[in-house]
Amino acid sequence: MQQPRKTASESTHSTPAFDTDDSNHTACTAESTTDLLTVEGLRVQFPSPDEPVRAVDGVSFGIADGEIVGLVGESGCGKSVTARSIIGLDPPEAAVRGSIELDGTDVTAASERQLRRLRGDTVSMVFQNSMETLNPVLDIGEQIAESTKVHDHPDSQRLLDYLHAPLFSSRADWHERREHAAELLDQVGIASPEERVDDYPHELSGGQIQRVAIALALASDPDLLIADEPTTAVDATTQAQLLDRFRHLNDTRGMALLLITHDLSVVAELCDRVVVMYAGQVVETGPAGRVLRDPSHPYTRALLNCLPQRVDRNERLPTIEGAVPDPTDDRSGCPFAPRCERATDDCRHGDVPTIDLGDGRGTATCYDVDDSRPAAPYNRPGITVTAGEDESDPTREPTTAAETPAAETPSSESTARSSTREKTRPESTADGDRQPLVELEGVTKRYATANGLIDRLFGATATRRAVADVDLEIRAGETLGLVGETGCGKTTLAELVTGLETPTAGEIRFGGDPVGGVESRSAETLADVGVVFQNPRSSLNPRLTVEQLVAEPLRSRGWSTGRRRERVRTVLDRVGLSEHRARSYPHELSGGQVQRVAIARAIAPDPTLIVLDEPVSALDVSVQARILNLLSELQAEFGLTYLLISHDLAVVEHVVDRVAVMSRGELVEIGPVDRVFDQPTHPYTKTLLASIPSLSPEETTGVRPSASDGVSSSLDRPTR
Amino acid sequence: MTADLSRRHLLSSVGGVGFAGLAGCAETGLDDTETAFTIVPGSDPTGTGDSWDNWGGMAPYWTRVVEPLVWGTDDMQPQPWLATDWTATDETTWVFELREGVSFHNGTELTADDVVHSFEENILTERGDFVHGWLHLEPGSVDRIDEFTVAFETTDPFPGFPGTIAHNMIDIQPPEADRRAGEIIGTGPFELAKMDQGQQLRVERFPDYWGGEPAPTELAFRAAEDATTRTDLLEAGEVDLVYEPATSRISGLRDRDNIRTEIQQSSASRFVSINIHRAPTDDTDLRRALNYAISQSEIVDTVLEGIGEPAHGPISTVIDWAADESLPRYDRDRDTARELVSQSSYDGEALTCLVETDMDDGRTLVQILQEAFKSIGVSLDIEVLEKASLQDRTDRGEFHLELTNSQSNSPAADYIMWENFHTMGIENKDLYEAEGTGLYNLGGEVDDLIETGFQSYDATETRESYIAAQRAIMDAAVVIPLFYEEYVVAADASIDGLDLHPIDKFAQWGDLTRTA
Amino acid sequence: MSGVLGSVGTAVRRRYRALRTSRKVAAFCANPLNVVGLALVVAIAVAAAVGPFIAPYDPTTQQLTNRLQHPSLAHPLGTDQLGRDVLSRLLHGARLSLGIAVAVTGIRLTLGTTIGLLAGYAGGWTDEFLMRLVDVQLAFPGLVLALVIAGILGPSLRNVMLALALVGWASYARLVRGTVLATKERNFVRAARLLNVSRFRIATRHLLPTVAGPVVVLATLNMGTVILGTAGLSFIGLGAQPPTAEWGTMLSDGRHHLRSAWWIANVPGVAIMLTVLGFTLLGDGLRDVLDPKRDATIEKLS
Amino acid sequence: MDDATYLLHRLGTSIIVLLGVSVVTYGLLFLTPGDPAEVILTQQLDRQPSASEVESFRATHGMDDPVPVQYVSWVTDVLRGDLGTSYYSDTAVSTLIVDALPLTIELAVASLLVALAIAIPTGVLSAVHRGSAIDYASQLGALVGVSMPNFWLGYLLILVFALTLGSLPVAGAGSYGQLVLPAITLGTGMAAVLTRLIRSSMLEVLDEAYVDTARSKGLRERIVLYKHALRNALVPVVTILGVQLGSLLNGAVVVEIVFQRPGLGMLLVDAVFERNYPVVQGITLVTAGIFVGTNVLVDLSYRYLDPRVELGGETV
């Protein structure tokens, strides 16, 4: 029914032959009219109670047929708004200016009918939070069938037909389309697709959902697929498979892809070209390899520096000082200027020119591109400069995979890397000598899935096992990392340690003494354990001020008002919150500040152990770096022991001493981080580690063992 | 059971047809022919669910399906009906001659056996002792003399017997009738066709009626107990005739060309009865003062829109022994009233006045009383109560005044005197027996007078005794008479042949016709 | 859309930092219907407060010669079937009708909130028992049970209030318990437990304030329900005894004059309508501001 | 929880609730001032009973037994379908109820249809044009309906449609025409609640990503609204339908009186005023039973409307 629109030869420009694409890219940056998509001077504003919010503030870029472009930037920089404008889905209250030429049609001026044709034929979008992008009350097959129907007959859509009203719709037609839907599901790598078409979204796992969302987008055989954070919500293993799938689709269908992400490693993995946005503006564009290796704009550079992958463990991460400018401000000049150490007066006023770096190396909107090889102004002395930073020659041709030293790509499995680590981490061998602070012995936690009087009467005793027979020690002064996929029992284990849950079987000992749940613990034991919850905002009562929040544990320890105030001031100062924040309410704070408050509260009673549940997962890279730095400073200063739960292996690798790997409630592997990451013994750990995307674009398709779908089926299961 | 079926049909079709279909559907009422009429009586023609209404298997009040032996004339005298003549052969024996050639709706002829059956099996047996006291008959006291003669043996001398059994409820049905199953077989001009409890009752002409074939082919009696709803039904043209339209609407109806209104004096009378056994209304001065505070004519002229006659006593003037003219008069005189109040034992406490929720204009009237009493320095608390609460209160004698009315549904109205004012009357007996008091019973001479009136076969003696009793009652101001009731019947202007009766439930429909 | 507005919202939030309260006020005022609701409620409250002092006539004094007068200068809203000034009765009735609503809602709220807090906080068998009690109350259609209770107790305003209060508390109990349970599982309460915050402090400092919002919303919406319930019971014959100027009773008494003297029924009718409308709009507005996520829940209960 | 377990669970809770309901219903008898036996006998005899009559009545009706024993025997009778006999006619209470119930159900169903017919288009329109004049007008319009006392609205409708326009019957029961005005009277109140809910529910749904997904497919807005959005928006609406039945039953009492429909409501009011306890208890019990039963059904149907729903999830 659907003819591939591109021939195989047209799509050969894609990976891995990065350098052969130069001609193509040059065409793009020159805003060629043959481009599939040309965005020119796009501005999107939303009304707000006083000044309008400039969500997108003058964005221009293009995508050629069959090209994979990454649109990157931190949250709130306007990536998603730009993407939505491309398919004409701006909210009605938004003011859109500029032009978006898509396959010859200006989206901003298109009629409803033209838009419908474009959406049904030319462009598709995979939205962020795929779980929410599928209609929960319609089954998968129906949703895909609709797409194909729209694609075939965009101009004759009758409500009653789509509602399957008996006399107004053809059952045979719909049936045929469902069969086609199964084919599409098969193409995106869903096992037994004939059964899945009858499933409802909630019956699928996160990874499957994401695949279905992609299948849905593919149903109309688009020329351009926009994918908004397609891998943010999925586990590392699934992410790897999905990226592989995208690449495959691009190869076989010759479909152009606009990939929106905040994750630079995803860009490195997949994209031909990258567009970097900051505060609603494009600050840099260029081939992915060049941008990651050799960023031109100070912001791009700073962003890359913050990544834990790029910095040795126990080293302080570089950070970007200051905050993203207020989008309601009337601004002029470079938006990054206030945070840029190299900013001049020119940067702060007037239009900053977009400079073509030449040779297909893209553009940068900065005065400072020519001598943009500083001695790492954002790096602290003593940091080993990795990856791109050690390349000092800006004119150098992009390297190929073979030319890049593997040792500098932290996620790759190489002996070179492990040798580096042994150098930087001599103390890890001494781990065994530390005293156990907390011991878990045979700890098991089961949840009853039904409760209430009636069930008790009927004796319904269905249970779900969350944690199974776990033995674990947390040694004084160490950072123990707990990793695993969503639903593996990490958080439950943490709650058992804190006492929020009590074990069904087994024993937990603090300093050798068995402890129970929160209610039965002594005040001292409670004060000994601090907790920073996942999603810190929810752990702060929105009705209390920062001061009250931090003082709360002190009050319950019976501290006097004066002493409390003193301590609150001390800890707030210590976590880097200024005095005037003390009277703020949580909702008035940014994500990073909220996390600081949560940390301040955790350390206020002077605990010995702090449980950190995904402490940085909700934060942007630059903020994440600052929080991670803070945590290591605090640990050094107060001799804290950390139990750190994270699904972000890069963070774990950077921060922890020992790592424990959990899968389906069981502890499958534990050991020093070097050993586990370099020589995993358990197959699960191997799969997990293999799925970490590389920051280096030169490592390309097919090399990665994790990407095979065969492994996935055991991991890719419903998370219910 | 047919009712059930149709409802179920309706219910199932609601789902199918849906709302859109609702508006367009036809009425289930009568065929709109010249000889069919829809009538809305003042009370539910299918009965209120009260066994009293339904003891003949249906409410016989309005429908002329079943008939008693005796009827009542327009001046409330017994009138030959299924019985053509009756005589008291001794103090306690009544012999009735039956009309010959009367056919039941099933074709059989009315004989003495049917009368004996109706009384012995139904009236006296099924309803128990209340009926025995009412009719002064015990089971086994009705005898067939011959095919068309029946004798009744009353328990005590009861001259009012023929008038008392001139009541819709004392109906004659043959043994073939199955009242409980709703199979009603009467002798009346109309046969029962269909009854939807609480909604409507339809009857059809009985061509072999002994009084001649009635004019209407079909009648429907609709239930609408709310006066405003009745008025609306008539104004909307949904029905042909309504009883007692809302007082507030009468002048509007009169102004309409397509509607005619008839006023008929009723056997009912509205008054306030005063509990003479409870302080401070046990003080005659206070009771007289209350009487002097009221202007009956003002009430009739204002809130009643002129419907009713200002009253001087508790007995409607259609009843031949009503004393009205000869009673002591208490025309409104606030000075006298205030003076009497100050003489009395009244010291400012609020009196309680009860009124039943359902009484037409009850809430309005009682507020007028309140205002009138206020003007003479007597304060009144109003309690509008529903039937059961009201009865509970009166049974216990815990009130001072009650706005009430008396109405006879048979020509013999004697029981109004007996039940209200005799110490052994239903209102007073329990309290008298329990506490030696009562409610409205002056006792002594008044009791004697009422007994004489009740038991005398001499009409003049009855009349004089009752008048004397009424005079004594009004002297002692046991009641505050308000008005003799009149009722309005409003009908489509084209309708002729209305035959109204002081007892509203005695209306005859046989002559109803529609003029062109 | 949520994602976009979310990130935009962060910016807006920053802008309006430290203006927490005024932002809520602004959000409330953004919807004209909310303002209308507030204005109506304020107007009715003012009428209840000063009504009896500004009423031109005594509400019970009759003038039979002057009955059923059309609205005029002397009687701006006409006179009723007994010649009483309708405006004066309306003004006096405002206090009574609003008073009934406040009293009934107050009893419901106090009783329900106490039981809800107890059930939600105590848990276990106490919870089980109290919630079954709530279920039983909610198993009766409210007005039907109120009718039966008031009818058996006998018609009077006090009995009507008692009956309405008895049939309305369970909604509060269920709402409060639900909120408490949900809040108990919220991380900030779990955090407080870990921080060894006392049960009492958790209850007063963390749970009660969370409960207050939804309860206020429900109570506001309830005011209208109670006023309508009172009117309904008045119509059935269980309301205020004459000559009390209570709106439901006035409306019910005036219905016979709807055709001939429209003002007698329609004036209290409109007053009831506007009052109920006012409270409903206000309640909706408060819900949008205080408790935007629980629409269906409160709808179920109110 | 699977469906069978859930059903069992729901049935179990319902039985407990109904037991509680029966206790309350039985307890109504003791609300009455005075001795129940005396009250009943007074009603039956239409006069004050003597002390010996009361005593023998108590004995024959087991009223000398402790209250719990009396209650158990009452419940036993009820379970056998014997709700007692009306004091005023020899009719069984169950017969009275069976006769009256269809009229009330008919009214409730028609009102529900009216309410949905008003609420769905208004709610969707209101949500789509959020913040516009159309939105405010339709919200206000919907609310006016619910703010009017039922009986007043009923009489006004009679005035306009039956008397002035003469297009619809004034009162009565038995024909579809006679159902229209009562259904509108009762339906408008419910329509307001539903409109409000559909609006807010639609607003929430319109913000959902899947609506954008549907649009991004190139679907027409009408299909997006009425297929993708409305179906989801109706889910919370269905959950309150069961509860709204309660308000319909409440309203039916008044509306039946206004329109002279001898349904359950009218029967109940008459019975209350007559202190006809068996009838009062019977209707109260049956009404509560219907209410509880409907809510179980609604819960079950909810499952089929929204495939996400796990039966038994605690709704707060």
Side-chain angles (χ1 to χ4, degrees), chain B residues 316-332:
Chain B
S316 167
T317 49
V318 297
I319 293 161
D320 62 349
W321 41 262
D324 188 57
E325 291 294 311
S326 57
L327 291 174
R329 297 184 66 122
Y330 297 91
D331 292 330
R332 181 158 72 188

Side-chain angles (χ1 to χ4, degrees), chain A residues 40 55 64 89 102 177 288 305 313 325 366 399 439 457 538 620 631 654 703:
Chain A
E40 186 68 60
L89 271 182
L102 181 58
R177 290 179 189 283
N305 283 346
R313 58 165 282 110
C366 187
T399 53
E439 294 159 280
L457 285 181
S538 74
D620 277 320
L631 286 173
H654 181 77
V703 198

Side-chain angles (χ1 to χ4, degrees), chain D residues 159-305:
Chain D
L159 195 63
V160 173
F161 290 99
L163 297 185
T164 309
L165 300 177
S167 49
L168 287 167
V170 171
S175 74
Y176 291 139
Q178 284 164 324
L179 195 53
V180 176
L181 288 183
I184 292 176
T185 309
L186 201 48
T188 45
M190 190 170 171
V193 178
L194 293 185
T195 306
R196 213 160 57 180
L197 190 59
I198 290 177
R199 176 183 177 273
S200 61
S201 176
M202 270 302 272
L203 281 179
E204 214 163 284
V205 167
L206 287 176
D207 264 353
E208 293 284 351
Y210 54 76
V211 173
D212 282 337
T213 307
R215 289 199 182 108
S216 76
K217 288 176 182 177
L219 281 173
R220 277 174 64 194
E221 191 63 16
R222 221 151 77 98
I223 296 174
V224 173
L225 285 182
Y226 287 95
K227 180 171 179 180
H228 286 261
L230 185 61
R231 174 95 192 269
N232 281 284
L234 284 180
V235 171
V237 175
V238 169
T239 61
I240 76 149
L241 281 187
V243 181
Q244 282 297 310
L245 177 77
S247 78
L248 283 181
L249 291 172
N250 286 334
V253 174
V254 165
V255 170
E256 283 178 1
I257 294 175
V258 170
F259 291 96
Q260 197 69 38
R261 295 175 62 84
L264 221 49
M266 213 161 164
L267 188 64
L268 176 67
V269 171
D270 284 345
V272 165
F273 282 170
E274 287 168 339
R275 300 269 166 92
N276 199 343
Y277 289 107
V279 180
V280 172
Q281 288 177 327
I283 296 177
T284 314
L285 200 61
V286 166
T287 317
I290 291 176
F291 197 27
V292 170
T294 316
N295 277 304
V296 173
L297 286 180
V298 165
D299 277 7
L300 293 178
S301 71
Y302 187 38
R303 162 87 154 127
Y304 294 95
L305 195 68

Side-chain angles (χ1 to χ4, degrees), chain B residues 340-379:
Chain B
L340 283 166
V341 170
S342 62
Q343 279 173 30
S344 75
S345 55
Y346 180 77
D347 54 5
E349 71 266 48
L351 305 182
T352 309
C353 182
L354 308 181
V355 61
E356 201 194 314
T357 324
D358 284 346
M359 178 182 280
D360 289 335
D361 302 313
R363 292 173 71 90
T364 309
L365 290 169
V366 77
Q367 290 181 80
I368 292 180
L369 295 178
Q370 186 184 44
E371 183 84 351
F373 294 162
K374 196 165 92 185
S375 69
I376 62 162
V378 174
S379 68

Side-chain angles (χ1 to χ4, degrees), chain B residues 226-228 232 235 246 248-249 256 298-299 301-305 357 363-372 374 381-386 389, chain C residues 58 60-65 67-68 81-82 84 89 151-155 234 236-238 240-244 249 253 255-260:
Chain B
D226 183 78
T228 300
D232 290 344
E235 281 196 24
S248 61
R249 301 278 285 279
R256 293 176 67 128
E298 186 184 72
I299 291 174
D301 291 343
T302 57
V303 294
L304 299 182
E305 307 270 345
T357 324
R363 292 173 71 90
T364 309
L365 290 169
V366 77
Q367 290 181 80
I368 292 180
L369 295 178
Q370 186 184 44
E371 183 84 351
K374 196 165 92 185
D381 274 351
I382 296 171
E383 289 189 51
V384 182
L385 299 175
E386 87 299 342
S389 302
Chain C
D58 181 275
T60 57
T61 301
Q62 303 168 7
Q63 256 191 301
L64 287 181
T65 50
R67 58 197 290 270
L68 304 177
Q81 65 276 22
L82 288 168
R84 296 172 297 200
R89 287 179 70 73
I152 290 178
L153 290 176
S234 291
I236 291 167
L238 294 170
Q241 293 291 358
T244 319
T249 319
D253 282 355
R255 71 179 197 274
H256 296 300
H257 296 271
L258 209 51
R259 201 106 208 252
S260 47

Side-chain angles (χ1 to χ4, degrees), chain A residues 21-248:
Chain A
D21 291 346
D22 278 1
S23 56
N24 213 343
H25 292 145
T26 314
C28 291
T29 46
E31 311 291 351
S32 148
T33 49
T34 59
D35 272 2
L36 177 61
L37 170 74
T38 310
V39 178
E40 186 68 60
L42 179 68
R43 286 169 203 276
V44 183
Q45 298 191 350
F46 297 99
S48 83
D50 44 32
E51 297 144 65
V53 174
R54 301 148 176 272
V56 175
D57 200 22
V59 162
S60 306
F61 65 95
I63 300 177
D65 278 338
E67 192 182 21
I68 304 184
V69 174
L71 188 58
V72 299
E74 294 178 276
S75 57
C77 72
K79 307 184 296 284
S80 296
V81 178
T82 305
R84 298 172 64 92
S85 295
I86 293 171
I87 53 167
L89 271 182
D90 311 280
E93 67 272 20
V96 182
R97 269 170 292 165
S99 78
I100 301 169
E101 194 114 325
L102 181 58
D103 202 19
T105 311
D106 185 358
V107 176
T108 58
S111 67
E112 272 299 312
R113 192 188 169 93
Q114 283 175 309
L115 271 182
R116 282 208 299 270
R117 281 177 166 277
L118 278 178
R119 291 170 185 167
D121 199 40
T122 312
V123 62
S124 286
M125 180 154 174
V126 177
F127 291 87
Q128 203 172 352
N129 299 333
S130 52
M131 197 67 200
E132 293 154 23
T133 62
L134 297 182
N135 194 327
V137 301
L138 301 176
D139 67 35
I140 303 303
E142 170 71 18
Q143 300 191 45
I144 297 175
E146 259 189 348
S147 271
T148 61
K149 194 169 173 95
V150 172
H151 176 69
D152 293 348
H153 311 286
D155 292 328
S156 71
Q157 302 179 27
R158 285 169 309 157
L159 177 62
L160 287 173
D161 181 9
Y162 279 75
L163 286 175
H164 301 277
L167 294 174
F168 297 89
S169 79
S170 151
R171 295 188 61 159
D173 181 41
W174 284 104
H175 186 75
E176 208 173 289
R177 290 179 189 283
R178 287 180 77 89
E179 282 176 355
H180 180 61
E183 289 168 28
L184 282 165
L185 289 180
D186 188 44
Q187 286 182 33
V188 295
I190 284 188
S192 39
E194 294 80 12
E195 291 158 33
R196 294 290 84 77
V197 282
D198 296 328
D199 280 355
Y200 287 92
H202 73 278
E203 292 170 307
L204 304 176
S205 72
Q208 284 175 321
I209 287 278
Q210 193 63 63
R211 286 161 204 266
V212 170
I214 294 167
L216 197 60
L218 294 178
S220 60
D221 192 25
D223 303 329
L224 170 64
L225 177 68
I226 303 173
D228 191 356
E229 303 279 8
T231 60
T232 308
V234 296
D235 290 316
T237 43
T238 314
Q239 168 171 328
Q241 292 157 16
L242 286 173
L243 295 182
D244 192 44
R245 189 53 63 179
F246 276 126
R247 188 177 299 110
H248 179 71

Side-chain angles (χ1 to χ4, degrees), chain A residues 46 49-51 53 81 84 326-329 453 456 495 498 500 518-519 523 526 531 533 538-544 548 552-553 555-556 581 587-588 601, chain C residues 1-2 4-5 7-8 11-20 23 125 128 132 186-188 190-199 201 205-206 209-210:
Chain A
F46 297 99
D50 44 32
E51 297 144 65
V53 174
V81 178
R84 298 172 64 92
D326 192 323
T328 61
D329 281 345
L453 177 67
R456 267 175 258 156
E495 286 175 347
T498 58
L500 276 175
V518 168
E519 319 300 337
L526 285 171
V531 182
F533 285 83
S538 74
S539 74
L540 302 179
N541 187 336
R543 288 176 180 79
L544 299 183
Q548 290 167 320
E552 196 145 34
R555 173 191 292 271
S556 49
R581 285 274 161 244
H587 70 271
E588 296 160 12
R601 183 172 64 174
Chain C
M1 194 179 294
S2 55
V4 180
L5 296 183
S7 54
V8 171
V12 177
R13 192 184 305 134
R14 216 172 287 146
R15 187 91 196 162
Y16 284 85
R17 198 171 284 177
L19 290 173
R20 182 170 186 234
R23 214 177 75 220
W125 286 102
E128 199 76 57
R132 293 295 84 81
R186 294 269 291 278
N187 272 336
F188 70 80
R190 290 157 62 99
R193 283 173 63 205
L194 275 184
L195 299 170
N196 197 21
V197 176
S198 71
R199 274 174 163 255
R201 201 175 145 78
R205 199 74 199 184
H206 296 275
T210 335

